Amino acid sequence: MRGRLALLAAAVSVLVLTAFLVPLALLLRTVAADRATVRATADAQRLVPVVGTADRDAIRLNVEELATQSGRPVSVFLPDGTVLGAPVPRTPAVALAARGQSLTAESDEGREVVIAVQGRPDGTAVIRTLVPGSQLTAGVTRAWLVLALLGVLLVLVGLVVADRLARTLVRPITDLSAVSHRLANAQLDARVTPAGPPELREVAGALNHLAGRIQVLLREEREQVADLSHRLRTPLTVLRLEAESLRDPDDASRLTAAVDGLERAVTGVIQRARWRSSAPDGRARCDAATVVAERVAFWSVLAEDTGRTVTVDLAAGPLPVGLTDDELAAAVDALLGNVFAHTPDGTPFTVRLAPDAGEVVLTVADSGPGMPAGAVERGASRAGSTGLGLDIADRAARASGGRLESHGGPAGGAVVLLRLGPPRP
């Protein structure tokens, strides 16, 4: 912006100075030529009394003296054709002046000044002097150079003033941009100091107000999520007591483990709601092999109860990815939960985990009815669910630098690939 303002100031200055200096330069040239012409005319008129009354020798002496003093050729054409002074041919201007008319004419050598002298007994004499081009433009080049330097100086002054003005405009805009980027990077305590024109100060105040409002809304949202999650602890406690009261030790152990997992998930929600992330520096990491194996073991018990065959192919760890344990566990639970929610009992499914070109790919494939198009859309579902499952997995994949892919299997069903990126250095 500073460059554009400076360019605009330079363009305006050049246009204004051109409109002013070009006519002034032409006027200076005209004035210089007129001044030289007036001086030559005055010198020639000094000879008029001499030419009108003196003899040839006196006229010749005065002509030579004037030519020496002025540095211009001076000639006197007598009525009988005699030329005194500089020997030059009779020009059309001299012929016209011989009829009694004084004039000034332009020629190839300069400006010709001819004066008719009447009153001689033998007729009209003509005084002719030539103002060369060097005298017509004497001092013009220097004047033009001064004007050019003055124009350049004025343009430079205009650029300096425009740069200072642009700086007063650009600095507040740069501060606004920097604070906006800090807010986008979750630095919600960033504020801008209002400066610059009233419009920019108003924008700065609005941005500060927006940042404060975002802080308030996020704090209220976190508190509400944390309070809601905390309320779940009461029914979890009741469920734990019910599970522990079961007579079958295996059922009691299995339900207690499920309650423990649910309680850990609720605790993770509370922590993320209050502290935004378990890895605020953006360097989250976990071992995907360990987390996936644990969640597959959990869901395998339910698969056995519903008559599903589970094919598990997990690469040996460690397989580090750029997610926390809770985030990856939530994504795996979302994918496996969708299998149980959207396929009938007895439908087999496969879970595969393997490294692939710097990523870790988790594949969940089933032999169910398949997945409708556009399934990864938060809050939207065509199967009566909340529509959050695949979105949770998709956001987890993107948070790690990967992506979520879904398509149909070669023999029907759905295939979901969760591509997870490596931890950030």
Side-chain angles (χ1 to χ4, degrees):
M1 184 175 180
R2 285 180 61 183
R4 292 185 177 181
L5 289 177
L7 182 61
L8 176 62
V12 173
S13 300
V14 170
L15 290 176
V16 173
L17 290 175
T18 301
F20 173 72
L21 294 180
V22 170
L24 181 59
L26 296 177
L27 178 62
L28 287 175
R29 186 177 65 178
T30 302
V31 169
D34 291 343
R35 183 173 62 244
T37 303
V38 169
R39 187 181 300 114
T41 303
D43 292 340
Q45 287 177 347
R46 289 165 48 188
L47 293 176
V48 171
V50 177
V51 174
T53 59
D55 56 13
R56 293 186 179 185
D57 294 335
I59 295 174
R60 181 180 293 106
L61 181 61
N62 283 272
V63 168
E64 293 175 354
E65 181 181 359
L66 178 60
T68 302
Q69 292 176 355
S70 64
R72 294 185 296 270
V74 180
S75 303
V76 175
F77 296 87
L78 298 177
D80 59 1
T82 304
V83 179
L84 303 178
V88 294
R90 183 180 293 266
T91 62
V94 173
L96 186 60
R99 301 176 184 176
Q101 181 179 356
S102 300
L103 55 94
T104 301
E106 301 292 336
S107 67
D108 296 337
E109 299 176 353
R111 182 169 294 180
E112 189 177 3
V113 178
V114 291
I115 299 176
V117 181
Q118 297 178 349
R120 288 180 61 89
D122 53 352
T124 301
V126 177
I127 303 173
R128 176 189 180 273
T129 184
L130 180 68
V131 184
S134 60
Q135 293 187 9
L136 291 174
T137 59
V140 174
T141 302
R142 182 175 57 186
W144 284 3
L145 181 59
V146 172
L147 289 178
L149 293 177
L150 178 61
V152 172
L153 179 61
L154 292 177
V155 171
L156 292 178
V157 171
L159 287 177
V160 172
V161 174
D163 183 70
R164 293 301 179 93
L165 178 61
R167 187 178 301 177
T168 61
L169 295 175
V170 171
R171 183 183 295 113
I173 295 176
T174 303
D175 294 340
L176 286 173
S177 176
V179 172
S180 300
H181 286 298
R182 292 176 61 189
L183 292 175
N185 292 328
Q187 300 180 23
L188 300 182
D189 58 342
R191 295 294 185 273
V192 62
T193 302
E199 294 80 2
L200 290 180
R201 291 199 297 270
E202 183 177 356
V203 173
L207 182 62
N208 290 337
H209 178 70
L210 176 62
R213 185 58 180 165
I214 291 175
Q215 276 189 314
V216 172
L217 293 176
L218 285 179
R219 183 168 58 250
E220 292 178 353
E221 181 182 4
R222 293 173 194 151
E223 293 299 331
Q224 291 176 359
V225 173
D227 291 344
L228 179 61
S229 302
H230 189 71
R231 293 175 186 175
L232 294 176
R233 291 188 179 277
T234 298
L236 282 176
T237 302
V238 175
L239 185 60
R240 179 185 297 279
L241 294 176
E242 292 291 338
E244 292 176 350
S245 66
L246 293 176
R247 296 181 179 180
D248 189 343
D250 294 337
D251 291 342
S253 176
R254 179 166 51 83
L255 290 180
T256 301
V259 172
D260 290 340
L262 183 58
E263 188 172 8
R264 285 194 302 270
V266 171
T267 302
V269 171
I270 295 175
Q271 292 176 348
R272 284 192 295 271
R274 288 190 179 276
W275 296 288
R276 297 176 55 197
S277 174
S278 59
D281 59 355
R283 298 182 180 179
R285 64 181 298 139
C286 69
D287 182 12
T290 302
V291 175
V292 173
E294 178 184 348
R295 302 318 301 162
V296 169
F298 173 81
W299 287 96
S300 295
V301 178
L302 182 59
E304 183 179 354
D305 292 342
T306 56
R308 302 173 185 268
T309 301
V310 183
T311 303
V312 180
D313 182 11
L314 305 180
L319 297 175
V321 295
L323 289 174
T324 63
D325 294 350
D326 292 339
E327 291 172 336
L328 180 55
V332 176
D333 288 343
L335 296 182
L336 296 180
N338 276 344
V339 175
F340 286 86
H342 301 300
T343 60
D345 292 348
T347 302
F349 64 94
T350 302
V351 180
R352 182 177 296 104
L353 181 70
D356 181 23
E359 296 179 332
V360 176
V361 181
L362 174 64
T363 304
V364 178
D366 62 67
S367 302
M371 184 181 300
V376 185
E377 183 177 354
R378 186 173 179 82
S381 174
R382 301 181 183 179
S385 65
T386 61
L388 298 180
L390 287 180
D391 181 73
I392 292 174
D394 180 57
R395 287 189 292 116
R398 287 187 282 108
S400 70
R403 63 188 183 278
L404 180 71
E405 301 176 359
S406 60
H407 53 81
V415 178
V416 179
L417 284 77
L418 186 67
R419 297 186 175 274
L420 304 173
R424 294 182 177 89

